[in-house]
Amino acid sequence: MTDPLPVPPDSSPESDYRLWIGNLDSRLTEFSILKILQKFGSLKKFDFLYHKSGPDQGKSRGYCFASYDNKASAEHAMAKMNGKLALSKRLIVKWANKDVSTEQEKPKMTINTGNRAEEEDISPQSKIQAIEAKLQKMQDRNPSMDLKAVPGSSQLSVVQREARLKQLELINAKKQSRKPYKR
């Protein structure tokens, strides 16, 4: 029998100053990001994430995590790096730890049928109907939420092609009307 691996102690929010650095340009390397982050203080941990499978296997996921030894270094890095242009993209730097209080404030969608045993065995179809009903209520409250496609917003749309053809016909008609009359 093998001995179990030791479990690292839980890092409390007070001792873990972990940042999420996102919107990384695909040309940025792990080494270049690491060197930039080290300018702001001593790093405790650095995770640069790559795709493990699929067509992008081995390529950057576009974000990384960095943990600093102290809060001042983490805040300094966040203040200096957030919004800065790195190659062709602006970096986004946020705290990586989730705030438990904001998660508790978010309302959770529940379907009240009155019977607790029935709630666990709700069919996917009834869940879809409940969501559709909720969306309809939201739309009734706010009619400005109508999302309609703008005709001609696509280069390939039929409406846009027809409008362009009419425009060309008008231009050609004007050109022909300017020609001198010949007998």
Side-chain angles (χ1 to χ4, degrees):
M1 186 161 148
T2 61
D3 292 332
L5 293 173
V7 177
D10 281 341
S11 58
S12 64
E14 295 84 24
S15 66
D16 188 26
Y17 306 105
R18 188 171 166 99
L19 297 177
W20 176 85
I21 299 103
N23 201 31
L24 298 176
D25 192 291
S26 60
R27 297 173 289 170
L28 281 173
T29 63
E30 183 176 4
F31 180 76
S32 61
I33 294 292
L34 182 61
K35 286 297 173 190
I36 293 169
L37 291 169
Q38 286 176 337
K39 290 180 182 179
F40 302 108
S42 177
L43 285 173
K44 191 187 320 184
K45 188 175 180 183
F46 177 69
D47 295 318
F48 191 85
L49 294 133
Y50 295 97
H51 289 282
K52 290 184 177 181
S53 61
D56 293 334
Q57 184 175 0
K59 293 181 184 175
S60 168
R61 285 191 171 194
Y63 62 94
C64 65
F65 293 94
S67 296
Y68 284 92
D69 285 337
N70 57 51
K71 188 175 184 176
S73 297
E75 287 176 340
H76 182 62
M78 188 186 318
K80 291 290 185 179
M81 290 180 60
N82 191 30
K84 295 296 181 190
L85 197 63
L87 294 179
S88 64
K89 293 184 172 184
R90 295 212 178 268
L91 296 177
I92 300 170
V93 184
K94 299 178 181 179
W95 290 110
N97 297 337
K98 291 183 180 178
D99 188 5
V100 178
S101 62
T102 58
E103 282 186 8
Q104 290 174 352
E105 292 172 12
K106 291 181 184 176
K108 294 181 181 176
M109 189 183 100
T110 57
I111 303 169
N112 294 329
T113 59
N115 188 350
R116 196 75 169 154
E118 287 179 16
E119 288 183 24
E120 294 174 4
D121 298 326
I122 297 173
S123 71
Q125 187 62 33
S126 60
K127 287 180 182 179
I128 292 170
Q129 288 173 349
I131 292 170
E132 287 173 344
K134 188 173 183 178
L135 287 172
Q136 187 61 45
K137 283 182 184 178
M138 289 171 62
Q139 195 170 21
D140 291 344
R141 276 190 236 139
N142 190 359
S144 66
M145 280 183 51
D146 292 339
L147 301 175
K148 295 179 181 174
V150 178
S153 61
S154 168
Q155 294 264 341
L156 303 174
S157 76
V158 175
V159 175
Q160 189 173 9
R161 272 190 268 141
E162 289 176 359
R164 182 68 180 145
L165 286 173
K166 285 183 182 180
Q167 191 178 27
L168 289 173
E169 287 174 4
L170 288 172
I171 291 170
N172 287 336
K174 284 182 182 178
K175 284 181 182 178
Q176 289 177 356
S177 66
R178 290 183 187 161
K179 290 183 181 176
Y181 179 73
K182 291 185 182 179
R183 288 190 185 191

